[in-house]
Amino acid sequence: MTGQTGQGKKPRPGHRKVAQWTRDYERLPGIPDEFIAQDGTPREVWTRFFEAFGMLAPADVERRFGSADRHLREAGVTYRAPGDIADRIWPLSHVPLLIGETEWQQISAAVSQRAQLLEMVLTDLYGDAKLVAEGALPAAAIAGSAEYLRSVCGVQPPGGRYLNVYAADLGRGPDGRWWVLGDRTQAPSGMGYALENRLVLSRAFTDLYKSMNIERVAPFFEAFRDSLRASADRDEPRVGLLTPGPFSETYFEHATLARYLGFLLVEGEDLAVSGDRIHIRTVAGLKRLDVLLRRVDSNSLDPLELDASSQLGVPGLIDVVRKNGVVVANMPGSGVAEARALLGFLPSLSEKLLGEKLKMPHIATWWCGQKAAREEVLSRLDDFAIEGAYGYAVPGFPGRGTILTAELSASERDRLKDAIHKRGIDYVGQEVVQLSTTPVWDNGRLTPRPFVLRVFAAATPDGWTVMPGGFCRIAEQLDARAVSMGAGARAADVWVVADKAVAASTLLPAVDTVKIRRIAGWVPSRAADNLFWLGRYLERAESTLRLVRALSVPQRDPGQSALGTQQTVERIQRMLITWGATSLTARSQPAKISAQALQSEDNFGSALSLVRAAQRTATSLRERLSPDAWQVITEMAERLAYEVEDDEGVVSAAELTLQELASFAGLAQENMNRAAGWRFLEMGRRAERAINTTRFARQFAYDEASSDDLDVLLTLVDCQITYRSRYLVGPLLAPVRDLVVLDPYNPRSVAFQVSALNDHIANLPALKENGLLERPQRLAVALQSSLTTGEAGSLHTKSLFAFEQDLLTLADSIGSHYFPQGTSATRPEKLTGLA
């Protein structure tokens, strides 16, 4: 079936391209499709889209597709499929899923109704439990779920709701109507990716996006944000988004949501319980947290009352909830409403609690915990898909989320039947459903692929607000019965097409409603720790790259003194070995030392390893780094991973990476707000630069240093021009030591770094209010005094070593003081700092 516009109508502009793209497009037998309606004709909303799309030149189409892909790569939009140990670039389909306004209104009403029904069910289950007492729900259907938390029974949810956000997975049923495939009440994922999908595709096709009258998603996020804030018990609440951390499959989404909504991104170790409240550990002490939007499963939230092995949660959190000390969205225990065991009871519960039928059907489900349903499933086993009643995996079949009994071996079939007989409570039988399909762009033409649409609803004081759009996952396999973001799957933006022009909207509030503020708030200790180490890793990488460049350039310059050059080269090689940039065995192969120090994956001190360490650290700071800063780090890692073939390639890669490091430093200086986060990034850079500069001075400005050694030192610390402008003689020991170590006006000197560290530390909050200098400032002041009063003629190798040790002690002191671990992190002296 091709995308025809109807007989007797004059072809519109772009119709020829549309015909070419769709000439082989056919609905799969018996499967509903988004482009081709049940009657075999294209849906009007798709016809509008393709005719507008067809106005673009083929080269322009490919350019825009390339622009979208490049943005995803450069911005580092990533995810992890189950079992992955490395991030994947987000696989965005170039063609959105389109839904007309009238159809969307029906979807929105049905999703809102379902969200309200599940809210009422949860309220009863954890409250009066009348549904069980009256026989509307079997007790076993609830108690069998690990998500039913006894510890929160009878607890009134702070903020008044169990569900602050709800999501439903939808697909078209065989009759062409939308059906619910599953409910998401635990911690629904996908909102952040839906937002990113919209940003990427609307930028790639700006004119097309505007001309199609696409409903904006910003009002939904605004309503969701404002509702969470309103649920707190003070006017200016602090809201945190609790993430499992950077190894989570959807960590990028957590960072995106936190940045977009203006929430703090926190991990369990960032939080501490004191009294009846939850606090965030910040570099200024403990600060009260009012609302926690969680992306951690309920059972992992509190190791004291739930899963004792969890390291993702906060000890004592459930007790704080019990005392109404923090709003947790969604309420712990809300995941019980995802159980497939409940599906068969929802139609009757809707009539009982809401007084109306469900507006959208779901997959016909038989819970095998009831005798009649169990016998029905066993008598027609080949007609059902068997799934776990409470979780993803089917009990007894690890890793399998859906079992089609017709595809089982005889022994597996017998084992499944025996398991259902013995413990039917753990299984459900569901009608076998083939997913509906949507067009995807594949090598210049359109082809149908199965998809699942996730629609989000947010609870607000005025009722449920549904995001106009959602999160669409598309499978590559034509016979897919479920879609997860694993290998081969892709995502698509979802465009709800209005009949009239749509007003532009933004998450930014009106100017006259905003309270002016210039400081964003104190940074959590973990984030400050990561910023500090990000600065240190990048500075270490720069020092290693300067050594690599210094080692490679003289080898190509036959005009230098052979004796001096050889002694200097050996010193550089020893430093690279000591720093872990290259191996001891590489000394017998000098030609390989530079390449190994540049891009060895096995040596922890190589430039590649250090940049990758910085990249991993930056991953934990996604909500705090600009896309440009992230892009620079990504490009450095990619450049250093590209194998070089000779000395020319080594020098070129080192110089280009040094330029990118300078670009990152410039972005940090010019674009980051001068708040605590920027200070810790700067402190990391300054501390590491001071340490490495002292090491350079100790190695190349030792007491008997040659002019070759001193010349290399000036190159390593980028001071050749400065030295030559001051002195009309070649490198001499005392002037070089003064310039590199003691000169407070030289931005590369040790003294300059220590002075900057003193300024940063002085601007950070005091954690003990006793009027005394705290240890980091005390060490920094003493070190600056020694450098200020020092004289170049009195410096020697031992004093340089002493400076190096003092700098290492200062760096360690900053870490132990501002990023404490364990019980010391509670900082009881600052518990009154609740603002």
Side-chain angles (χ1 to χ4, degrees), residues 490-503:
R490 67 181 93 177
D493 192 12
V494 181
W495 289 7
V496 175
V497 182
D499 297 329
K500 299 179 181 179
V502 176

Side-chain angles (χ1 to χ4, degrees), residues 407-427:
E407 298 177 357
L408 293 178
S409 65
S411 60
E412 288 178 323
R413 181 187 176 88
D414 291 341
R415 181 157 58 91
L416 177 62
K417 291 180 67 173
D418 184 58
I420 295 175
H421 269 298
K422 290 181 177 178
R423 190 175 167 83
I425 186 176
D426 292 335
Y427 301 88

Side-chain angles (χ1 to χ4, degrees), residues 139 252 665:
F252 175 86

